[in-house]
Amino acid sequence: MIVLTKAPRGTRDILPSEVEQWQFFEEKVRELCRLFGYAEIRTPVFEHTELFLRSVGEVTDIVAKEMYTFTDRGDRSLTLRPEGTAPVARAFLEHKLYGEAQPLKVYYIGPMFRYDRPQAGRYRQFHQFGVEVFGTKEPSLDAEVITLSLYVFRALGLEEFTLQLNSVGCPHCRDEYRSCLQEELHEKLNRFCPDCAGRFHKNPLRILDCKQESCQELTANVSLLLDKLCGDCAEHFAAVRESLDVLGEPYVVNPRLVRGLDYYSKTAFEIVSPVLGAQSSLGGGGRYDHLLATIGGPDVPGIGFGIGIERVLLARAAAGSSLPESKLTDVFVVTAGNVSAAEALRVVIALRRQGVAADKDYLGRSLKAQLKFADKKQARYVVILGDEEMKRDQAVLRDMQTGGQEDVALTELASMLAGLVKGAKR
RNA sequence: GUGGGUGUAGCUCAGGAGGUUAGAGCACCAGAUUGUGGCUCUGGGGGCCGUGGGUUCGAGUCCCAUCAUCCACCCCA
């Protein structure tokens, strides 16, 4: 039975009480992108299914079992984007942005969709902030991109995280290593866990990343891709490390780090947090020098990362970071005696026209209840419109913090409060 | 897709081995003498006990299924 009063599994509402956290995230990220020279790009939330098949890779988990794919009324197979890189790459090609000055640096913020079993820090609709840069293989760019992701976490008040770095090589050295690894592991094949047995053919590199202790032991002395990179890849990796060293950014080389998407080459990195539980990855990314060519474009290199917004917010909450309370209402206008609601509205509108966030009661409540509500709204000031004062074209202005109050002429009310509110915010 | 935990008021939870009108705290609303919030006191509204079957004279309580949720695996953000 479909429950009409519940959001679909793995999705959730971001309620007013939480939305400030999201706005905070977006503000910080936009500011950083501006400083780093990245412009925003917005692509559709769905694309031709084929785009993800070709770019992400048909044997990846994302494509094999996690895509929201549907056929539209024109019989086209479409898929809600499971990640952000492929759509941006598509847009880059579609609009021939390789014809503009390179490199092109862009960022995006938006929802992604993966049909997966929900868990802590994992949703079917989740949100990512990510950047992509097209047009250069220069290693210092790798360092810039990585650094930007670290600055994002810091700007959001996260201190406890680790940057893991690796190189997954290029098609040449990776394929060679892959066969080499399979050869080395072949004799031990029956001693691996069932998952790894499956990985042996599909993605042997991932065996090195298995959480099972028994598998870890079996691969303890196996040769690593990092030691078998081709000259070009090895040189690139060394240069990236050097750039990070120059910047003073600490990192951990994890030769067993693997990325889940096929298009990665050379630099691969992930930022993990110790406070998130099993879903410890705050974000990750890497270089994808052959992606554009794979989907039918020119041979333009690229690099990027994606950060999970939900996970960042969870990490912030776990770290006890909070935001200063922002108040929606500066002034609350209440009525006493026979003063009409319309009269109150007139005053409220006049205040708003002066840039004062004002509001009033809309439930016909008693004076006492109106004040109680104003208190709940955390309004700093309350304007009381009473019969006595109205006769003199005056109103009572009450400071809810100090409890003091005075009579103010109606004509001066708006400009006076505008001044008071502006002063209080400083 | 696999394994385990949990579903009782808006929220956090009680409800001894099945037995009458299902409770608490917080929240919400209203009062505590005439037009004044926070503190206190008093009162009040709210619950197909997730849903559907079954066992029983009788089910919030036992059994099955289902849905949801949480945790872990897989994988990833």
Side-chain angles (χ1 to χ4, degrees):
Chain A
M1 185 183 65
I2 294 165
V3 190
L4 293 178
T5 52
K6 256 201 109 334
R9 182 163 205 203
T11 69
R12 56 195 215 99
D13 302 306
I14 299 162
L15 299 175
S17 56
E18 203 191 344
V19 86
E20 276 179 39
Q21 291 282 339
W22 286 74
Q23 290 170 344
F24 175 71
F25 179 98
E26 287 167 18
E27 280 165 26
K28 289 291 181 191
V29 144
R30 291 206 149 92
E31 171 64 10
L32 276 170
C33 282
R34 196 184 66 77
L35 290 173
F36 276 71
Y38 290 71
E40 184 176 4
I41 184 169
R42 303 190 187 190
T43 66
V45 291
F46 58 82
E47 296 277 350
H48 292 294
T49 302
E50 187 69 19
L51 174 66
F52 299 114
L53 296 185
R54 291 271 292 281
S55 58
V56 175
E58 304 212 23
V59 298
T60 60
D61 275 38
I62 289 178
V63 169
K65 54 180 205 187
E66 295 176 2
M67 294 210 301
Y68 274 96
T69 297
F70 61 97
T71 306
D72 75 0
R73 289 167 186 274
D75 219 29
R76 285 171 280 258
S77 178
L78 302 169
T79 294
L80 299 182
R81 63 179 181 200
E83 58 102 41
T85 302
V88 173
R90 193 226 78 234
F92 181 78
L93 295 182
E94 177 171 342
H95 304 287
K96 300 188 168 51
L97 300 181
Y98 44 80
E100 298 187 4
Q102 302 295 296
L104 181 80
K105 309 207 284 190
V106 294
Y107 75 92
Y108 59 83
I109 298 175
M112 307 292 163
F113 306 84
R114 290 184 203 171
Y115 187 89
D116 206 342
R117 194 133 155 192
Q119 204 180 309
R122 199 170 72 190
Y123 306 91
R124 289 184 173 178
Q125 174 176 338
F126 60 102
H127 299 76
Q128 278 191 344
F129 154 69
V131 311
E132 313 290 352
V133 183
F134 300 101
T136 175
K137 295 181 175 179
E138 227 277 305
S140 69
L141 173 66
D142 298 43
E144 172 186 287
V145 167
I146 291 170
T147 303
L148 173 52
S149 75
L150 302 179
Y151 274 52
V152 168
F153 299 128
R154 293 189 189 123
L156 293 163
L158 294 177
E159 296 295 340
E160 265 195 283
F161 54 81
T162 308
L163 167 62
Q164 298 202 353
L165 189 68
N166 192 22
S167 173
V168 295
C170 61
H172 311 295
C173 50
R174 183 167 55 232
D175 287 354
E176 203 168 299
Y177 169 74
R178 193 183 141 110
S179 323
C180 176
L181 181 65
Q182 282 175 323
E183 226 168 90
E184 277 185 55
L185 297 179
H186 189 72
E187 50 173 331
K188 301 174 182 170
L189 191 51
N190 55 358
R191 289 195 273 157
F192 282 104
C193 70
D195 283 325
C196 282
R199 289 172 182 139
F200 184 79
H201 293 290
K202 245 174 61 181
N203 191 354
L205 302 214
R206 195 164 281 293
I207 295 179
L208 305 183
D209 205 22
C210 184
K211 286 181 190 170
Q212 297 285 325
E213 245 180 73
S214 53
C215 295
Q216 288 283 341
E217 283 168 27
L218 288 170
T219 61
N221 297 312
V222 91
S223 57
L224 299 166
L225 172 56
L226 211 48
D227 301 321
K228 300 209 162 197
L229 292 175
C230 64
D232 183 37
C233 289
E235 207 174 294
H236 184 91
F237 189 59
V240 173
R241 293 185 59 169
E242 205 184 308
S243 285
L244 286 171
D245 290 340
V246 167
L247 293 170
E249 291 295 355
Y251 57 88
V252 175
V253 173
N254 176 2
R256 290 161 187 259
L257 176 69
V258 188
R259 303 261 73 215
L261 290 70
D262 277 2
Y263 53 64
Y264 284 110
S265 56
K266 289 198 171 75
T267 308
F269 66 98
E270 195 164 320
I271 296 92
V272 296
S273 161
V275 299
L276 282 184
Q279 261 57 50
S280 60
S281 176
L282 284 172
R287 186 162 270 288
Y288 41 82
D289 290 344
H290 311 286
L291 171 62
L292 277 292
T294 302
I295 59 176
D299 199 10
V300 175
I303 179 172
F305 67 72
I307 288 175
I309 302 181
E310 282 85 353
R311 288 191 187 172
V312 168
L313 297 185
L314 280 172
R316 264 177 63 79
S321 305
S322 57
L323 292 175
E325 245 178 301
S326 84
K327 293 166 190 169
L328 218 47
T329 308
D330 293 324
V331 179
F332 200 82
V333 177
V334 306
T335 57
N338 296 316
V339 178
S340 72
E343 195 63 37
L345 183 59
R346 196 176 63 79
V347 174
V348 164
I349 295 287
L351 287 168
R352 290 172 181 166
R353 289 176 63 121
Q354 290 294 311
V356 175
D359 216 335
K360 67 181 274 289
D361 169 67
Y362 287 103
L363 292 179
R365 282 188 264 230
S366 68
L367 174 63
K368 195 185 175 85
Q370 288 181 70
L371 276 159
K372 205 170 171 180
F373 187 67
D375 184 46
K376 213 163 289 163
K377 286 282 180 186
Q378 295 182 291
R380 172 68 195 268
Y381 301 99
V382 164
V383 169
I384 303 168
L385 304 177
D387 297 319
E388 309 276 307
E389 295 83 358
M390 293 294 274
K391 268 181 224 163
R392 307 192 302 265
D393 287 322
Q394 286 185 323
V396 176
L397 173 57
R398 181 178 175 82
D399 184 330
M400 295 294 271
Q401 204 163 300
T402 65
Q405 55 186 52
E406 58 180 316
D407 287 359
V408 176
L410 282 175
T411 50
E412 290 166 26
L413 199 56
S415 57
M416 182 174 174
L417 276 166
L420 282 173
V421 167
K422 212 174 280 173
K425 284 205 170 141
R426 245 173 229 147

